Amino acid sequence: MTSDFDIREYTRTAAGSHEATLPLAAFAEHPLTEQTLQTLSYLRDLEDFTMHHMRDVLVTPSHKDARLTAFLATWAFEKFWIADAFDRIIAVHQDFTPATHRARSGVVRFAREAIDRVSPIVTAIRSNLIGEDIIAGHVTRGYIDELVSRVAYSQLAKNDPNEALAEVLTGFQALRDRHLQFFEGETVRRLEESVSARKLTRSSLRRSWVPTGTHEQPIQETRLMMKYVFSDAEGRAGVSTVDRGIDALPGLRGLGLLARATRHYGVRATA
């Protein structure tokens, strides 16, 4: 719970660059598969999107909470270096070109830049009209993203049994366990304290939830990632685990968010 999370210890021990500890020579000797690299590239882009996401969060009443702001800044810092590590692993595979990079045309970049300029203004006006209850939605989404990441890391390691990959993902999951702990405590506390926060969060999730950053990616790449991670028996079990975790939150039972998202992107269970 939130009261057990030592924010000062967390900010003091935040993990920075992983360059010195990455087993890059092992990846050069035992390369990852094409599908694994594409999925890793996709996950790298989601980690990269954290800075954009945090900018939108901190124009809301969230910025008035010093403890939450300290966590988010440190969280984004750690995720930046996870993205950097994924970049370094991908770079070892010189014959691989991430499909998401090929897909981003000048028109797409221009549209993205235009949205980036307008989005914080719209978010600030809307969220400040709603008030502090919107914070419950932010931390709930963070908690769900961490649940999803646990499944994604586990499936990535299973689908490509590469020892170096397992070592890296295990280490990153240990970092993200602290993210999960904070978000869980904040989510439960804020949802328990406010009926209107529960109603607002439930409505927002039901209307628009996908893993944070997914909507920024080409649809075809999202479909490929979802299929690679969630279509087999273990992946579907992971979907159920995430949705049960959401069910356990105050006021959020029965949403089936990840099951709905995977269906939306055309994922069907395989034997």
Side-chain angles (χ1 to χ4, degrees):
M1 300 298 290
T2 302
S3 59
D4 297 327
F5 192 91
D6 188 337
I7 193 70
R8 291 187 178 182
E9 174 68 9
Y10 174 58
T11 57
R12 187 181 67 81
T13 58
S17 174
H18 304 281
E19 180 181 5
T21 58
L22 288 175
L24 297 181
F27 286 113
E29 186 175 354
H30 300 288
L32 300 171
T33 69
E34 180 84 10
Q35 279 188 303
T36 299
L37 287 167
Q38 187 56 57
T39 303
L40 201 64
S41 174
Y42 188 98
L43 295 177
R44 182 274 319 279
D45 286 349
L46 296 191
E47 302 290 358
D48 247 358
F49 184 72
T50 299
M51 295 303 295
H52 293 274
H53 174 62
M54 190 177 74
R55 175 205 61 190
D56 286 346
V57 168
L58 291 181
V59 297
T60 75
S62 297
H63 77 273
K64 298 177 184 178
D65 186 322
R67 188 170 181 279
L68 178 59
T69 301
F71 171 80
L72 291 175
T74 311
W75 166 75
F77 172 80
E78 290 195 319
K79 284 165 72 68
F80 170 86
W81 287 112
I82 291 174
D84 176 79
F86 286 165
D87 256 334
R88 293 177 186 279
I89 293 168
I90 292 166
V92 171
H93 302 76
Q94 297 181 3
D95 294 333
F96 174 74
T97 302
T100 49
H101 287 180
R102 295 196 299 268
R104 289 172 181 164
S105 66
V107 173
V108 171
R109 286 195 299 273
F110 177 80
R112 180 67 261 161
E113 289 169 3
I115 292 170
D116 281 348
R117 286 193 294 270
V118 174
S119 176
I121 300 171
V122 174
T123 301
I125 294 171
R126 175 179 174 273
S127 63
N128 283 283
L129 288 172
I130 293 171
E132 288 193 5
D133 284 341
I134 201 168
I135 301 174
H138 293 323
V139 295
T140 302
R141 287 174 182 266
Y143 176 58
I144 297 171
D145 284 341
E146 292 303 327
L147 293 178
V148 173
S149 82
R150 294 174 77 86
V151 177
Y153 281 15
S154 175
Q155 286 294 102
L156 199 57
K158 178 191 72 69
N159 290 341
D160 192 342
N162 182 297
E163 290 184 8
L165 179 64
E167 175 188 335
V168 169
L169 294 179
T170 298
F172 289 168
Q173 191 56 69
L175 290 179
R176 299 187 73 136
D177 283 346
R178 297 202 293 181
H179 305 170
L180 184 72
Q181 181 190 0
F182 179 87
F183 278 126
E184 182 179 16
E186 282 288 311
T187 297
V188 171
R189 179 177 69 83
R190 291 178 183 276
L191 292 176
E192 283 181 341
E193 288 178 351
S194 170
V195 172
S196 58
R198 293 196 294 273
K199 290 180 177 179
L200 179 66
T201 300
R202 183 181 182 89
S203 174
S204 174
L205 292 172
R206 184 168 54 189
R207 183 175 64 252
S208 64
W209 183 83
V210 291
T212 301
T214 298
H215 64 283
E216 300 291 314
Q217 305 304 319
I219 291 175
Q220 184 57 30
E221 299 310 316
T222 301
R223 288 187 182 130
L224 289 173
M225 184 278 292
M226 291 276 192
K227 182 177 180 181
Y228 189 57
V229 172
F230 297 120
S231 63
D232 66 7
E234 291 89 346
R236 300 310 296 175
V239 171
S240 297
T241 297
V242 170
D243 283 339
R244 285 196 301 271
I246 300 168
D247 284 345
L249 297 173
L252 301 187
R253 179 171 294 278
L255 289 173
L257 295 179
L258 189 53
R260 185 182 67 186
T262 55
R263 288 195 303 270
H264 173 75
Y265 287 106
V267 176
R268 295 293 180 267
T270 59

